Amino acid sequence: MMTQKIGIGRAHSKIILIGEHSVVYGYSAIALPLKNIEVVCQVQASEAPLTINIDDPLSTAVLAALEFLDRSDQNISVKIKSNVPAKRGMGSSAAVAIAAIRAVFDYFDQPLSILDLEMLANQAEIIAHENPSGLDAKTCLSDTAIKFIRNLGFSEMAIDLGACLVIADTGIHGHTREAVAKVRELEEKALPYLHHLGNLANAIEVGILAKDLSVIGQAMNLAHQELERLGVSSPEANHLVQVAQSRGAMGAKMSGGGLGGCIIALCRNQEQADTLALELEKEGAVNTWIENL
Ligand code: MEV
């Protein structure tokens, strides 16, 4: 019996430390790869053509990859195994797109440059969530934390604070496309908030270089207020942020597109992070993760 060719692709998720939304308007953002939270995609031959759903990043990524390779006429089936919760600001759509593109290229034994991979992932993201800054795909392709500026590029950041970041999932689906549209509809009313978010990203970069947790934490708290003013937070995220802030976190904020999704809280050490993660779960978080910073 002939064994069937299987193409495999993997990608990890991400979390934004600072700069969601303001990054769309050219301010800098800092984001971290979550290397242990992964998506794996498998591609194999199929009898029937793939059903394409234009709102689904998996479909749009596979379509972009097939078109790039001039293989749109090939019947393939695609399976995803993911530890990344969808629609929580953890880059699920970018990670799914990257894993799927890698799997399609692997299936056809084609080389894939990092530039083509990022370009195709962003094409898929444009269809799935309209005018993406590129931050999600870039962070899901990076093994280190990055500072990212739209249309200018990115630089790797060494973060070595001896601290921990607790990520807590509200359990509510975030809506990046709607949140980005909401900010756009505010027009010039959004400008002071976006400008302040840009300054806070710079403050956090300075805090990281100086290894000053208070500077970083304070900027995170202020960033949450600005994101609330932009109308992209949610009552559930506000509650978890307030819990984290009142139980000793150095700082806390929502993360990602918002209108649901995750919050992040900066803790001095693992012990504080473990305790806070449990408290956040008691207060409604459906899942928590801890990242060393
Ligand atoms: C979504 O993860 C981050 C946003 O800034 C949108 C984007 O960068 O495209 C809200």
Side-chain angles (χ1 to χ4, degrees), residues 277-290:
L278 286 177
E279 287 177 4
L280 290 168
E281 284 178 19
K282 277 196 216 130
E283 290 288 339
V286 297
N287 209 344
T288 55
W289 299 264
I290 297 176

Side-chain angles (χ1 to χ4, degrees), residues 14 16 19-21 23-24 89 129 131-136 176 180 256-257:
K14 66 101 218 274
I16 298 177
E20 48 278 278
H21 290 288
V23 70
V24 174
H129 79 66
N131 191 24
S133 65
L135 172 64
D136 288 12
T176 299
V180 170

Side-chain angles (χ1 to χ4, degrees), residues 12-286:
H12 58 66
S13 54
K14 66 101 218 274
I15 198 85
I16 298 177
L17 184 59
I18 181 77
E20 48 278 278
H21 290 288
S22 44
V23 70
V24 174
Y25 296 86
Y27 295 101
S28 67
I30 299 172
L32 321 168
L34 300 176
K35 286 192 275 182
N36 297 323
I37 310 179
E38 249 202 347
V39 174
V40 183
C41 180
Q42 268 193 13
V43 166
Q44 60 191 90
S46 149
E47 313 240 295
L50 193 72
T51 319
I52 300 289
N53 169 2
I54 200 77
D55 284 331
D56 164 27
L58 175 60
S59 294
T60 54
V62 171
L63 191 65
L66 288 174
E67 280 177 355
F68 185 88
L69 292 171
D70 211 7
R71 307 283 175 105
S72 310
D73 56 337
Q74 301 274 320
N75 289 347
I76 55 167
S77 69
V78 184
K79 261 199 253 163
I80 281 283
K81 245 173 78 185
S82 178
N83 293 323
V84 189
K87 297 181 181 288
R88 304 301 214 285
M90 290 172 77
S92 159
S93 65
V96 163
I98 291 166
I101 294 161
R102 283 182 165 145
V104 171
F105 276 70
D106 186 46
Y107 176 77
F108 291 111
D109 284 321
Q110 292 299 309
L112 174 59
S113 72
I114 192 84
L115 266 180
D116 287 340
L117 174 56
E118 189 176 346
M119 186 253 313
L120 291 170
N122 278 319
Q123 263 179 29
E125 286 268 277
I126 283 167
I127 302 168
H129 79 66
E130 197 187 311
N131 191 24
S133 65
L135 172 64
D136 288 12
K138 185 63 95 182
T139 317
C140 291
L141 286 170
S142 174
D143 282 338
T144 57
I146 58 167
K147 171 181 168 182
F148 176 91
I149 304 181
R150 182 173 202 170
N151 299 331
L152 277 188
F154 76 108
S155 50
E156 293 186 351
M157 282 189 88
I159 303 189
D160 182 17
L161 303 171
C164 287
L165 194 71
V166 178
I167 303 162
D169 181 358
T170 61
I172 313 286
H173 277 184
H175 297 280
T176 299
R177 195 204 301 229
E178 288 79 353
V180 170
K182 228 176 149 179
V183 174
R184 193 178 50 237
E185 279 154 21
L186 285 177
E187 297 184 345
E188 63 271 21
K189 283 198 211 89
L191 294 180
Y193 309 137
L194 295 168
H195 184 71
H196 192 201
L197 284 167
N199 287 340
L200 292 168
N202 296 339
I204 289 190
E205 187 183 355
V206 170
I208 289 172
L209 290 174
K211 298 189 196 289
D212 188 332
L213 296 187
S214 333
V215 166
I216 303 169
Q218 207 195 359
M220 287 169 70
N221 291 338
L222 293 171
H224 184 74
Q225 281 177 15
E226 298 299 6
L227 290 161
E228 253 195 289
R229 289 181 183 129
L230 284 172
V232 296
S233 192
S234 63
E236 296 80 3
N238 294 344
H239 175 63
L240 293 181
V241 164
Q242 198 264 319
V243 170
Q245 287 167 343
S246 64
R247 313 265 165 101
M250 301 297 293
K253 61 182 275 294
M254 58 155 274
S255 176
L259 302 177
C262 286
I263 69 119
I264 53 174
L266 181 66
C267 293
R268 280 187 196 81
N269 51 41
Q270 185 76 41
E271 198 189 335
Q272 192 191 21
D274 288 340
T275 310
L276 182 61
L278 286 177
E279 287 177 4
L280 290 168
E281 284 178 19
K282 277 196 216 130
E283 290 288 339
V286 297

